[in-house]
Every structure is written in structure tokens, then in C-alpha cells.
Amino acid sequence: MTTDTLTGVFEEHRPVLQGVAYRMLGRVADAEDVVQEAWLRWSGGDRSAVREPRGYLVRVTTRLAIDRLRQIKARGETYVGPWLPEPYVTDFGDTAPDTAERAVLADSVSLAVLVVMESLSPLERAVFVLREAFGYPYADIAAMLDRGEPAVRRLAGRARKHIKERRPRYDVDPARRRDLTDRFLAAAAGGDLAQLMELLAPDVRLVGDSGGKSRAPLRVLESADHVGRFLIGVAGKGIQDPAVRFLELNGGPAVLVLSGGRPDTVLQLDIAEGRVQTVYVVRNPDKLRALVP
């Protein structure tokens, strides 16, 4: 292949590779590093035996992501406060040609699912991502991971059972989530505790991720009273020349709060039965750099 052809083939599959790497790692920068390494393997390696570029590239990316995930776990780094995946701009474009497939892709990258996936082993996570998000046959996954198909099926079964037992079930309809997010913001910004309490489920949880680098709760807040009073108390404080923008993150509507033109906070809600079940607040500046206004 010529250099232009090599580049063209790789760029054609980049969105899928980025999607695999991000679901594996939950970190945008790490996912980009993995995809870049996959490009180096693709452009500088022996491709004489490659008959199906997409399968080859997904295999390389998955293995690199497994290695990166093992390195992260081996370092045993201590994170200050609750951890959330790095917000990920989701624009599926042509990778999801119908509504059903788009829903699967959005669900597989949701904050709720990614948080649960953190407790899977690297191999379980790889099998779950390849099977559930991208629909690869077990035989193909086995070849990618150099494992027998029965072993891959067992890994998939354990991962699926683990996710099913721990993941909450939320309403993923974008229109309903956007409407409730609008009302939620209006109540919080207006200091209307009564209205806010009507929108919160009694057992609502607020998960704030600051990494110790900005102000956010260092533990998960629980109950409508605690969450509501906290939100009313902090709304708009410490933010200079505030501006709010809606965008799609992790498969659903989210709010980006800007302070002085720079990303300050990402807020996203999970809802069920018309009420807010979980409030996700990301304030770690390292996780907001990619969200260019």
C-alpha cells in the first residue's frame, strides 16, 4: 500500500478504534495514545498477511488497551474522591445507521455502565466491549485475544452477569433527559429548592469527580434533601462570567458550564420514571481539557 492508502484505511476505521479504546479505558487521552500506537503498528509493520484491515486494527487496539489497563491497575494510583470516566463527546455518525444500533452504542459508553465496567478484569472488559458494543462473534474475539472460544464465552458470561447485577436501569430517551435537565438547571440556578426536590428521586445520588483539583464533594451524596440543598448552595458560586452549553456526552444530553470561557464543570443526569436518579458532576480540570467550547 502507498502511504496515502495506509492513511486512508486507518482514518476510515479510526472512529471504531477510538470507541473501542475509550470503552476499555474510560480515559480520552489514554484512548488517543492507544489509537496512535495502533497507527504506528499499522504504518510500520508487516501487513502482508492482513486480509481484513478493520479486524486487524481492532485486534491491535484491543490488545494495546488491555496492556494500558493492566499498567494503570498495576500502578495502584490513589484517586482523591469519587472517580468518573472522562466525558466523551459522542457523535456516532455513520457508525450507527439505525436507532436500535445507536441506542446500543450510547448505552455502552454511558457513565453508569463505564463505572461498573471499572470493576471488570481487563480481559472481561475487552470481551464485553467487543461483544456487547460492537457485536463481534465469539470466534472473532477469541482470535483477537488468542483465547479459545469456550474461554471467551465464559468471560463474556461473567462480564454480562456482573454488569446486569450492578448497573442501574435508566431512561435513555434523549428528549426526556433534555427536558428534565432544562428544568433541573432552572430550579438550581433560580434557587428553587421546592421545584428541585420535585425533580429528584427520594434516593437520588450525586457523584462528584474533582480528583482533588477543584471543589466537589469527596464522597457520594445521597437522598433528595442532601443533594438538593447542596446544589442550591453551590449553584453559580466561584464561576466567573458563567455560560452554559448543551452537548452530547457519553451517549446522552449533558451540560458544560464555562467559567471565563473555559470548561469548568460537566453535569449529566440519569433519570427513571420522570425523576433524577443520579447527578454526575465532573470538575477535574484534567478531564475537561478536550471539551473545547
Side-chain angles (χ1 to χ4, degrees), residues 138-158:
Y138 289 114
D140 290 358
I141 299 173
M144 290 180 186
L145 301 179
D146 279 341
R147 295 290 193 279
E149 188 173 337
V152 166
R153 288 181 178 273
R154 287 193 295 272
L155 286 166
R158 287 203 301 268

Side-chain angles (χ1 to χ4, degrees), residues 2-288:
T2 66
T3 300
D4 287 347
T5 302
L6 280 173
T7 302
V9 170
F10 189 86
E11 290 303 320
E12 176 186 351
H13 301 299
R14 181 184 287 273
V16 172
L17 306 182
Q18 185 74 22
V20 170
Y22 175 76
R23 286 168 176 80
M24 283 288 297
L25 299 165
R27 301 158 176 85
V28 174
D30 284 342
E32 290 174 346
D33 288 346
V34 162
V35 172
Q36 180 61 25
E37 179 62 26
W39 159 250
L40 295 176
R41 301 281 182 93
W42 169 250
S43 61
D46 180 9
R47 299 172 305 280
S48 59
V50 177
R51 296 184 178 181
E52 207 282 289
R54 175 172 168 142
Y56 171 84
L57 290 169
V58 169
R59 175 183 180 181
V60 170
T61 300
T62 300
R63 290 188 172 191
L64 289 170
I66 289 173
D67 290 343
R68 178 66 63 96
L69 195 57
R70 285 171 172 163
Q71 291 168 5
I72 292 171
K73 291 181 179 294
R75 289 199 297 264
E77 298 172 352
T78 300
Y79 196 81
V80 179
W83 178 92
L84 288 172
E86 185 174 348
Y88 183 56
V89 178
T90 44
D91 181 5
F92 298 114
D94 294 335
T95 64
D98 57 62
T99 302
E101 185 176 349
R102 179 185 174 86
V104 170
L105 288 168
D107 186 56
S108 71
V109 81
S110 69
L111 293 181
V113 169
L114 290 174
V115 168
V116 176
M117 284 173 60
E118 278 293 298
S119 56
L120 297 178
S121 73
L123 280 176
E124 287 172 340
R125 191 160 180 165
V127 172
F128 183 82
V129 168
L130 294 173
R131 178 65 182 174
E132 301 299 322
F134 295 95
Y136 277 98
Y138 289 114
D140 290 358
I141 299 173
M144 290 180 186
L145 301 179
D146 279 341
R147 295 290 193 279
E149 188 173 337
V152 166
R153 288 181 178 273
R154 287 193 295 272
L155 286 166
R158 287 203 301 268
R160 195 180 299 113
K161 181 174 183 291
H162 182 86
I163 298 294
K164 183 178 180 180
E165 289 175 346
R166 299 194 180 191
R167 65 175 295 182
R169 299 301 303 182
Y170 294 135
D171 186 342
V172 297
D173 180 79
R176 283 198 289 267
R177 290 179 68 183
R178 173 62 189 264
D179 174 67
L180 196 129
T181 300
D182 283 334
R183 290 187 284 144
F184 176 93
L185 283 178
D192 191 339
L193 181 59
Q195 179 61 33
L196 190 59
M197 294 289 284
E198 289 184 7
L199 302 176
L200 300 176
D203 57 350
V204 64
R205 301 166 72 246
L206 183 146
V207 185
D209 180 335
S210 69
K213 299 180 179 182
S214 61
R215 297 186 64 183
L218 295 179
R219 60 181 179 82
V220 176
L221 301 184
E222 299 181 343
S223 85
D225 183 65
H226 285 144
V227 171
R229 292 184 184 280
F230 171 80
L231 290 169
I232 293 295
V234 301
K237 289 187 176 179
I239 299 179
Q240 300 178 349
D241 190 21
V244 172
R245 299 191 181 182
F246 279 88
L247 65 167
E248 184 181 283
L249 296 175
N250 295 86
V255 175
L256 172 63
V257 180
L258 304 172
S259 178
R262 296 184 178 182
D264 178 270
T265 304
V266 160
L267 182 144
Q268 191 168 47
L269 309 178
D270 276 334
I271 66 172
E273 299 178 353
R275 305 185 84 176
V276 178
Q277 307 293 326
T278 306
V279 181
Y280 298 107
V281 180
V282 181
R283 300 205 69 211
N284 185 338
D286 295 340
K287 295 185 176 183
L288 303 178

